[in-house]
Structure formats: C-alpha cells, structure tokens
Amino acid sequence: MTLDKLPLIGRLAGMALAALLTGCSTFPSWLPSSGPSTVQVVEQEKVDSPIPVVDVSDAVARRILAAQRADSFAESFSTKVPPSYVVGPGDVLEVSVWEAPPAALFGAAVVDARTGLTSMRQTTFPEQIVNTDGVINVPFAGAVPVAGKTPQQIEADLVQRLQGKANKPQVLVRVIRNTTQNVTVVGEVAQSVRMPLTAKGERLLDAIAAAGGVRHPVSKITLQLSRDGKVIAMPLDSVIQDPKQNVYLQPGDVVTALFQPMSFTALGASGRNEEIPFEATGLTLAQALGRMGGVRDAQADARGVFIFRFEEPGVVQAEGRLLPQTPEGKVPVVYRVDLKDPRSFLVAQNFPMKNKDVV
C-alpha cells in the first residue's frame, strides 16, 4: 500500500516518527514549539538584528561582576570622614556675645559683692532665621554672611567684626534648629523621617534605624541611595555584611528602602515556564537553572540556553556596532550558554542573574 493510501492517522504518525528520529530541530513548522530555536536566534543576529548575541565565558562573567562592584555604595559614595556641618538658609541661629570688663557695649558690668571683682554677663540676641541670601544681622556687626560656614567660622567672623567696638569680645553661635543638613528616609520603613545630620557623622544604617527599621525581612529589601542626581541600589543584606558599604551620609541624600522581590522569567523547553522570584542578595545562573527545573531532555537544545537582558552599556562590547538603547540608557543583549560544554557549569556559578531577566 502506498503512502497516499494510508489512513490520515497513519500518515500523521509516520511524519511524527520521522521528525523524532531526525531531532526536534526538524519538526514541521505547523507543529507547536517551545520558542525560537538556537539557529533562529543566532541567524537573526547575523541577518538584520542590532541586538548582539554574546557567548557566556569566564571573561564575560567577570566583566558583569566588575560592573556590579563599581555600582556599590563604597565605590560611588565613599568618604573617609563625615561631612562638616555648615549653616544654610532656613537654619535658626542663636548668637551670644561676652566682653571683658570694664567695657559694656552690649550689657552692664556686674560687681561681685563678695570678691569685689567685676564680671560681665553675656548678651544673647533673639533667635534668627538665616534668610534666603544666607545672611543674619548682629548689632554693631551688621549683615553677616553665614551660609556655607560652620558655627566656628561664624564665631571667628563676628569676633573680627566686633574688634575695636567691644572689649575683647567672645562669641558663641548655636544652631537652634537644623533645616538644611538633613537626610530623607522613605519606603518600606516603619516611619518615613527627615533625619538631621550632626557633627558625629551619620551613616546609611543610622538612617534606617532612625526610621524604625524595615517592615520586611532583610533579605527581601533593597536600599537605594540618591545623591546629586546619581542613584545606586544595593541589597540591605550586603550593606550589613560589608561595613565598607555603610557609607557616611551627606545633606540632601534620599534613602529609599524598596521591597521588590526580584524575579526572572523562565520560558521555552524548561522544567518550569513561569516567573521565578529570588532574593535581593542575588542569584547565579547555576541557581536559576536549578530553580527552573533545568531543561527538558526531549525538547531542549542544551547548546541554546539564552538570557535576554537590558544591560549597562559599559558591559557590552559593541566592537564598532551601534547598539540601540532604551530611554533608561540600557542596551538589549542576548547571552548564550552552551550546556554541552562542561566548563559552562563553572562559569554559570559566577554569572549573576538580574531582575527581569528572561531565560
């Protein structure tokens, strides 16, 4: 009996058997598949796609890890000493002046009846708010610029201005209310606060403590620090474990505690096709393969495990190619892993997964 005489079911079975014998890459186009094949992804790059396909190697993994370290708090925001406190517009100051007897420019001399010695009471002026020009007014000293100066510098300036008017003047300047040297703490904390900075020098974890701690497990929290237009995020766990990441805070810093369960999406011929969460402390490719149940022996091409990612431009080596960028400045890239190569399992233990990766 010829093939065209066979019943329809028999012909379909024969075609399926032939496809199985020749490998899944030769399945008829009308049968469902688990996504693009290895050949389709690679050939697409060669034809017209501006998105590079990068083979994962030890050098690539090291480059990605180095970029992550460069984006740490210690590398981006570290200072060896705390910032000095300086006065700014809106701060409230109290100025007190002493004179040596017998002069009495600001107050009357006082005679101690028991000792007969003359002393001088200090004169304390009403509290003043530093105006928008950064100036306060002190009798006989005039308009005194104070913005950007420490209290000690203001005291020295007032003493200089009062020389020749007061007898051996001594000046004390106190900051009654600090409105400019603050750090804002928001996000998944017990209570959002504006924490004033002191001469002691507050660090990142001091801000979290001042806000009452975080509302979720430490392993699930990412800390984001914004300073002068630069934003860096790190797992809270990493900041706790590495004291170098607990950097000094600067006036105007914004600390945000984010509860963002990070995740990647597993698709294609894998054990699980779903979004898989992972901890803020990070996940390696080897761990990701384990959580997604590996790849299906009957369907998957072990030479074609792909990670689709929006990467930092400095990580991707364009080699003269003009790469597209997202509005956030990220570059789309496809990383390829060959699980037929035993060395890939070693590299996979150092290759870091990122939030929103697609495998």
PDB file of all heavy atoms in Angstrom, residues 69-79 232 234 242-247:
ATOM      1  N   ARG A  69      30.294  45.637  41.078  1.00  0.00           N
ATOM      2  CA  ARG A  69      31.093  46.188  42.178  1.00  0.00           C
ATOM      3  C   ARG A  69      31.276  47.693  42.025  1.00  0.00           C
ATOM      4  O   ARG A  69      31.324  48.438  43.006  1.00  0.00           O
ATOM      5  CB  ARG A  69      32.446  45.482  42.255  1.00  0.00           C
ATOM      6  CG  ARG A  69      32.379  44.085  42.847  1.00  0.00           C
ATOM      7  CD  ARG A  69      33.758  43.572  43.188  1.00  0.00           C
ATOM      8  NE  ARG A  69      34.545  43.320  41.991  1.00  0.00           N
ATOM      9  CZ  ARG A  69      34.583  42.155  41.364  1.00  0.00           C
ATOM     10  NH1 ARG A  69      33.887  41.136  41.827  1.00  0.00           N
ATOM     11  NH2 ARG A  69      35.322  42.002  40.283  1.00  0.00           N
ATOM     12  N   ALA A  70      31.387  48.163  40.785  1.00  0.00           N
ATOM     13  CA  ALA A  70      31.552  49.594  40.548  1.00  0.00           C
ATOM     14  C   ALA A  70      30.306  50.372  40.946  1.00  0.00           C
ATOM     15  O   ALA A  70      30.373  51.565  41.257  1.00  0.00           O
ATOM     16  CB  ALA A  70      31.875  49.850  39.076  1.00  0.00           C
ATOM     17  N   ASP A  71      29.162  49.696  40.960  1.00  0.00           N
ATOM     18  CA  ASP A  71      27.909  50.347  41.330  1.00  0.00           C
ATOM     19  C   ASP A  71      27.586  50.173  42.810  1.00  0.00           C
ATOM     20  O   ASP A  71      26.438  50.293  43.221  1.00  0.00           O
ATOM     21  CB  ASP A  71      26.752  49.780  40.487  1.00  0.00           C
ATOM     22  CG  ASP A  71      26.787  50.283  39.055  1.00  0.00           C
ATOM     23  OD1 ASP A  71      27.420  51.331  38.825  1.00  0.00           O
ATOM     24  OD2 ASP A  71      26.206  49.645  38.180  1.00  0.00           O
ATOM     25  N   SER A  72      28.589  49.904  43.621  1.00  0.00           N
ATOM     26  CA  SER A  72      28.357  49.752  45.059  1.00  0.00           C
ATOM     27  C   SER A  72      28.420  51.112  45.741  1.00  0.00           C
ATOM     28  O   SER A  72      28.959  52.082  45.201  1.00  0.00           O
ATOM     29  CB  SER A  72      29.397  48.805  45.663  1.00  0.00           C
ATOM     30  OG  SER A  72      30.684  49.404  45.646  1.00  0.00           O
ATOM     31  N   PHE A  73      27.876  51.198  46.947  1.00  0.00           N
ATOM     32  CA  PHE A  73      27.922  52.441  47.708  1.00  0.00           C
ATOM     33  C   PHE A  73      29.360  52.844  48.009  1.00  0.00           C
ATOM     34  O   PHE A  73      29.716  54.018  47.950  1.00  0.00           O
ATOM     35  CB  PHE A  73      27.148  52.280  49.020  1.00  0.00           C
ATOM     36  CG  PHE A  73      25.667  52.046  48.829  1.00  0.00           C
ATOM     37  CD1 PHE A  73      24.959  51.245  49.707  1.00  0.00           C
ATOM     38  CD2 PHE A  73      24.991  52.640  47.786  1.00  0.00           C
ATOM     39  CE1 PHE A  73      23.597  51.030  49.545  1.00  0.00           C
ATOM     40  CE2 PHE A  73      23.632  52.428  47.592  1.00  0.00           C
ATOM     41  CZ  PHE A  73      22.930  51.625  48.478  1.00  0.00           C
ATOM     42  N   ALA A  74      30.201  51.852  48.357  1.00  0.00           N
ATOM     43  CA  ALA A  74      31.586  52.152  48.720  1.00  0.00           C
ATOM     44  C   ALA A  74      32.345  52.766  47.550  1.00  0.00           C
ATOM     45  O   ALA A  74      33.176  53.663  47.737  1.00  0.00           O
ATOM     46  CB  ALA A  74      32.289  50.888  49.209  1.00  0.00           C
ATOM     47  N   GLU A  75      32.082  52.298  46.335  1.00  0.00           N
ATOM     48  CA  GLU A  75      32.792  52.808  45.161  1.00  0.00           C
ATOM     49  C   GLU A  75      32.246  54.159  44.717  1.00  0.00           C
ATOM     50  O   GLU A  75      32.987  55.010  44.227  1.00  0.00           O
ATOM     51  CB  GLU A  75      32.686  51.801  44.010  1.00  0.00           C
ATOM     52  CG  GLU A  75      33.417  50.494  44.250  1.00  0.00           C
ATOM     53  CD  GLU A  75      34.925  50.670  44.253  1.00  0.00           C
ATOM     54  OE1 GLU A  75      35.404  51.632  43.645  1.00  0.00           O
ATOM     55  OE2 GLU A  75      35.611  49.847  44.880  1.00  0.00           O
ATOM     56  N   SER A  76      30.943  54.361  44.876  1.00  0.00           N
ATOM     57  CA  SER A  76      30.311  55.559  44.316  1.00  0.00           C
ATOM     58  C   SER A  76      30.193  56.707  45.306  1.00  0.00           C
ATOM     59  O   SER A  76      30.268  57.876  44.918  1.00  0.00           O
ATOM     60  CB  SER A  76      28.910  55.200  43.790  1.00  0.00           C
ATOM     61  OG  SER A  76      28.978  54.189  42.803  1.00  0.00           O
ATOM     62  N   PHE A  77      30.015  56.402  46.607  1.00  0.00           N
ATOM     63  CA  PHE A  77      29.703  57.454  47.566  1.00  0.00           C
ATOM     64  C   PHE A  77      30.629  57.493  48.775  1.00  0.00           C
ATOM     65  O   PHE A  77      30.366  58.227  49.726  1.00  0.00           O
ATOM     66  CB  PHE A  77      28.266  57.279  48.085  1.00  0.00           C
ATOM     67  CG  PHE A  77      27.217  57.381  47.022  1.00  0.00           C
ATOM     68  CD1 PHE A  77      26.232  56.407  46.905  1.00  0.00           C
ATOM     69  CD2 PHE A  77      27.196  58.428  46.131  1.00  0.00           C
ATOM     70  CE1 PHE A  77      25.252  56.484  45.937  1.00  0.00           C
ATOM     71  CE2 PHE A  77      26.226  58.524  45.151  1.00  0.00           C
ATOM     72  CZ  PHE A  77      25.247  57.554  45.050  1.00  0.00           C
ATOM     73  N   SER A  78      31.700  56.726  48.768  1.00  0.00           N
ATOM     74  CA  SER A  78      32.511  56.599  49.976  1.00  0.00           C
ATOM     75  C   SER A  78      33.298  57.877  50.268  1.00  0.00           C
ATOM     76  O   SER A  78      33.886  58.483  49.375  1.00  0.00           O
ATOM     77  CB  SER A  78      33.480  55.422  49.840  1.00  0.00           C
ATOM     78  OG  SER A  78      34.280  55.289  50.985  1.00  0.00           O
ATOM     79  N   THR A  79      33.295  58.287  51.540  1.00  0.00           N
ATOM     80  CA  THR A  79      34.159  59.356  52.041  1.00  0.00           C
ATOM     81  C   THR A  79      34.763  58.876  53.360  1.00  0.00           C
ATOM     82  O   THR A  79      34.100  58.202  54.147  1.00  0.00           O
ATOM     83  CB  THR A  79      33.376  60.659  52.285  1.00  0.00           C
ATOM     84  OG1 THR A  79      32.273  60.395  53.155  1.00  0.00           O
ATOM     85  CG2 THR A  79      32.856  61.241  50.985  1.00  0.00           C
ATOM     86  N   ILE A 232      22.128  54.746  43.236  1.00  0.00           N
ATOM     87  CA  ILE A 232      22.727  53.419  43.340  1.00  0.00           C
ATOM     88  C   ILE A 232      21.861  52.588  44.282  1.00  0.00           C
ATOM     89  O   ILE A 232      21.365  53.087  45.288  1.00  0.00           O
ATOM     90  CB  ILE A 232      24.173  53.486  43.880  1.00  0.00           C
ATOM     91  CG1 ILE A 232      25.058  54.325  42.957  1.00  0.00           C
ATOM     92  CG2 ILE A 232      24.760  52.089  44.037  1.00  0.00           C
ATOM     93  CD1 ILE A 232      25.283  53.722  41.588  1.00  0.00           C
ATOM     94  N   MET A 234      21.543  48.715  46.353  1.00  0.00           N
ATOM     95  CA  MET A 234      22.230  47.515  46.821  1.00  0.00           C
ATOM     96  C   MET A 234      21.325  46.752  47.783  1.00  0.00           C
ATOM     97  O   MET A 234      20.486  47.354  48.467  1.00  0.00           O
ATOM     98  CB  MET A 234      23.534  47.870  47.552  1.00  0.00           C
ATOM     99  CG  MET A 234      24.675  48.314  46.687  1.00  0.00           C
ATOM    100  SD  MET A 234      26.209  48.425  47.676  1.00  0.00           S
ATOM    101  CE  MET A 234      26.485  46.680  48.061  1.00  0.00           C
ATOM    102  N   ASP A 242      28.918  43.956  54.814  1.00  0.00           N
ATOM    103  CA  ASP A 242      30.156  44.626  54.398  1.00  0.00           C
ATOM    104  C   ASP A 242      30.175  46.040  54.970  1.00  0.00           C
ATOM    105  O   ASP A 242      29.504  46.936  54.445  1.00  0.00           O
ATOM    106  CB  ASP A 242      30.238  44.663  52.868  1.00  0.00           C
ATOM    107  CG  ASP A 242      31.554  45.257  52.376  1.00  0.00           C
ATOM    108  OD1 ASP A 242      32.400  45.626  53.216  1.00  0.00           O
ATOM    109  OD2 ASP A 242      31.735  45.342  51.141  1.00  0.00           O
ATOM    110  N   PRO A 243      30.930  46.283  56.038  1.00  0.00           N
ATOM    111  CA  PRO A 243      30.941  47.617  56.665  1.00  0.00           C
ATOM    112  C   PRO A 243      31.337  48.740  55.708  1.00  0.00           C
ATOM    113  O   PRO A 243      30.943  49.894  55.925  1.00  0.00           O
ATOM    114  CB  PRO A 243      31.973  47.456  57.794  1.00  0.00           C
ATOM    115  CG  PRO A 243      32.017  45.992  58.076  1.00  0.00           C
ATOM    116  CD  PRO A 243      31.783  45.319  56.755  1.00  0.00           C
ATOM    117  N   LYS A 244      32.103  48.450  54.678  1.00  0.00           N
ATOM    118  CA  LYS A 244      32.511  49.496  53.735  1.00  0.00           C
ATOM    119  C   LYS A 244      31.303  50.092  53.006  1.00  0.00           C
ATOM    120  O   LYS A 244      31.360  51.243  52.552  1.00  0.00           O
ATOM    121  CB  LYS A 244      33.495  48.933  52.713  1.00  0.00           C
ATOM    122  CG  LYS A 244      34.849  48.557  53.293  1.00  0.00           C
ATOM    123  CD  LYS A 244      35.807  48.133  52.202  1.00  0.00           C
ATOM    124  CE  LYS A 244      35.311  46.875  51.479  1.00  0.00           C
ATOM    125  NZ  LYS A 244      36.278  46.392  50.471  1.00  0.00           N
ATOM    126  N   GLN A 245      30.223  49.333  52.872  1.00  0.00           N
ATOM    127  CA  GLN A 245      29.043  49.830  52.167  1.00  0.00           C
ATOM    128  C   GLN A 245      28.190  50.741  53.041  1.00  0.00           C
ATOM    129  O   GLN A 245      27.304  51.442  52.539  1.00  0.00           O
ATOM    130  CB  GLN A 245      28.193  48.646  51.668  1.00  0.00           C
ATOM    131  CG  GLN A 245      28.939  47.624  50.851  1.00  0.00           C
ATOM    132  CD  GLN A 245      29.611  48.207  49.620  1.00  0.00           C
ATOM    133  OE1 GLN A 245      29.180  49.226  49.081  1.00  0.00           O
ATOM    134  NE2 GLN A 245      30.687  47.566  49.158  1.00  0.00           N
ATOM    135  N   ASN A 246      28.464  50.749  54.349  1.00  0.00           N
ATOM    136  CA  ASN A 246      27.719  51.603  55.274  1.00  0.00           C
ATOM    137  C   ASN A 246      28.349  52.993  55.272  1.00  0.00           C
ATOM    138  O   ASN A 246      29.018  53.410  56.221  1.00  0.00           O
ATOM    139  CB  ASN A 246      27.740  50.982  56.670  1.00  0.00           C
ATOM    140  CG  ASN A 246      26.803  51.670  57.636  1.00  0.00           C
ATOM    141  OD1 ASN A 246      25.826  52.302  57.231  1.00  0.00           O
ATOM    142  ND2 ASN A 246      27.105  51.577  58.917  1.00  0.00           N
ATOM    143  N   VAL A 247      28.128  53.733  54.201  1.00  0.00           N
ATOM    144  CA  VAL A 247      28.846  54.984  53.944  1.00  0.00           C
ATOM    145  C   VAL A 247      28.269  56.147  54.757  1.00  0.00           C
ATOM    146  O   VAL A 247      27.127  56.100  55.229  1.00  0.00           O
ATOM    147  CB  VAL A 247      28.793  55.331  52.437  1.00  0.00           C
ATOM    148  CG1 VAL A 247      29.517  54.281  51.616  1.00  0.00           C
ATOM    149  CG2 VAL A 247      27.350  55.482  51.966  1.00  0.00           C
TER     150      VAL A 247
END
